[in-house]
Amino acid sequence: MKNRLLEAQDFSRRVNGLSDFLLRLESAKTREDVFRILQTESKSLLEFDTQFVALLTPNRSQYAITVLSPTKSSSTPNREVSEVSESRVGRLEIETPIPVEQSEGGAWLDLGLKSMLMVPLRTSEETLGSLSFGSYRANAFGEADLWIAQLLGVHVAMALRTLSMRTGERKRDEHLGSMFRALNELSAILDPDELLTAIPSAVRKHFNYFDVSVFAVRKESNQLVLVGHSGNYAEYLPWGYKLNLGEGIIGWVATRGDKAVVNDVSVDRRYVGPSESRTKSVLAIPLRSGNEVVAVLNIEEPNLNAFDETDTVTFQLFCEQLGNAYRNAMRHQEIRETAERLTELDKLKSEFVGIVSHDFRSPLSSIMLAARGLLKFEELTENKQLKEYVNIIIEQANRLNRLAEDTLSVTELESGQLSYSFKIINVERLVQDALALVKFSSKHKLTYHIDPNVAYVKGDQNKLRQVVTNLISNAVKYSPQGGNVTVDVQEYSAGEVLFSVKDEGVGIPDEQKDKLFRKFSRVSQKEVKDIRGAGLGLWISKEIVNAHGGRIWCESEVGKGSTFRFTVKKAVG
């Protein structure tokens, strides 16, 4: 009777101790914090000699063992990963938690243990691994120990799952930001070979991977050639290093046109690397131009299980955008070479198509990339309102794509045959839509004012929005030091409305104002020499305004800014 009373008191003490354990778990910031809490607190809840945590890797084919308290044996399972089928610890994800005595210990007998208690680390959604306690005494664990261990397993699993979700969300946000910064850096490159060469440095700069390389496909020789490299293997893999198509993971990706995610190269026969290689994980993604694989982006890390779904999805989207950039660069190169052989008129037409293709499609592709990326997040697809907003973004981007295709038709623009659809337009909506398409820096301040008496005009909404967007974009671009950008709409005459876009930028000298609305003509000033542009935006704007029966002009003073104005007819009725 006395023994039962003591056992009941001890069990009650341990149950009460669980509260302190759970409070400490809630304060954990990392997985290592969770393991430390297990180390320091478990002894007050269970009597054991050694403690292990086995966590399944992302592909669930292996598990990593962490020893939280040492054993007497030198054969302590201190391997980083093991196959799931190797022992009970790995297989426990599908078993009922029970005390494991000496006769069932299997490989664990090598450690000198006579009793084992193993429970799964399981949430309501998935099994993460197992938690094991070992004793050098036979029959060391009872039903009360099992109950306590099960509770520990549930709460440790929940803590690890919560931390993993937070880490995943943070990683997705960081990857998305890094991807856009890298794409912004690369999208300005119009030479296809230079683009491939620059990719590894941009990826390492913004993602900080161990080694990044790009291999170009050379179908004429059935080989892959190293054309870009940044990382720790630069001295072992010289420029021009070659692989046969189909050789190694990179060759497999180039041949199959599919991604390869290898989180342990030691078990993948495809891996080929230098003898000095420290690589343990590889992510290889094909870069396509249309349906053709033109190169392979290869990323290597010295850690096992270095790449997860976030890495894979990010770089699939990244390479999709790079493929568009490569295709644009190829087209630009073709246009440039063709222009050299044609008459001056054909040259101007070809350059128009190439440059506008780049200027319009690069930001458009980024918008579409971001929207498609958002739709891949489960949290968003479950929220109908957010999903609707993203679908609106995609819809509007598609409309802009149609506008870009119309704009790219030199023949239609020059012949005046570009089709227009004149309707009554809400001025405020027109201005707001244009503002939404322009990226403002933190240095700029935007204000706009619309006279209530000019709420509606008559015209083609898409074309007029293009004019307003061009003028606002120029105001931001040519105000590198920031300042106010003001959009003002007011009555100009009995039948006309005046749109004005004012900036506080560098201004335009009087002798260069006559260049503003010419095709391929740009103002020559040292203050704006590094600002990219094709000299087409104002020319396109003038053509559109003329088609609406209005006129466009500029008022400017050097050092004080510029104001661009145009008129449009009021809506009648």
Side-chain angles (χ1 to χ4, degrees), residues 378-530:
E378 182 179 347
E379 297 89 343
L380 185 140
T381 57
E382 292 175 354
N383 188 314
K384 293 183 179 179
Q385 190 174 18
L386 287 178
K387 185 177 180 180
E388 181 182 354
Y389 289 159
V390 175
N391 284 328
I392 290 174
I393 293 173
I394 295 173
E395 178 185 353
Q396 294 302 316
N398 282 326
R399 291 174 63 187
L400 182 58
N401 183 58
R402 291 193 294 271
L403 172 63
E405 293 298 327
D406 289 340
T407 306
L408 292 177
S409 176
V410 179
T411 303
E412 288 181 334
L413 282 170
E414 292 185 339
S415 64
Q417 296 178 354
L418 187 65
S419 61
Y420 288 84
S421 176
F422 288 89
K423 298 179 180 178
I424 295 177
I425 302 170
N426 183 301
V427 173
E428 184 166 7
R429 176 66 182 275
L430 174 69
V431 172
Q432 289 177 346
D433 286 352
L435 291 170
L437 296 173
V438 179
K439 181 178 180 182
F440 287 87
S441 74
S442 59
K443 298 185 294 184
H444 294 89
K445 180 180 179 181
L446 167 72
T447 56
Y448 74 89
H449 174 263
I450 300 172
D451 187 339
N453 295 321
V454 293
Y456 298 94
V457 296
K458 186 174 183 180
D460 186 307
Q461 183 162 335
N462 288 337
K463 306 296 189 299
L464 288 179
R465 182 176 58 210
Q466 180 66 31
V467 174
V468 179
T469 301
N470 280 340
L471 298 184
I472 297 174
S473 178
N474 282 348
V476 174
K477 186 190 301 183
Y478 291 96
S479 303
Q481 302 305 318
N484 293 316
V485 174
T486 305
V487 180
D488 182 76
V489 186
Q490 58 183 286
E491 188 177 53
Y492 185 67
S493 67
E496 289 183 307
V497 174
L498 178 67
F499 287 73
S500 302
V501 178
K502 181 180 180 181
D503 64 62
E504 297 176 351
V506 297
I508 302 166
D510 289 340
E511 65 273 15
Q512 297 201 47
K513 288 181 181 177
D514 61 340
K515 295 182 179 180
L516 290 174
F517 300 100
R518 294 180 187 173
K519 186 165 53 174
F520 300 119
S521 179
R522 301 188 65 207
V523 173
S524 301
Q525 289 177 261
K526 63 179 181 179
E527 294 87 354
V528 298
K529 63 186 174 102
D530 293 329

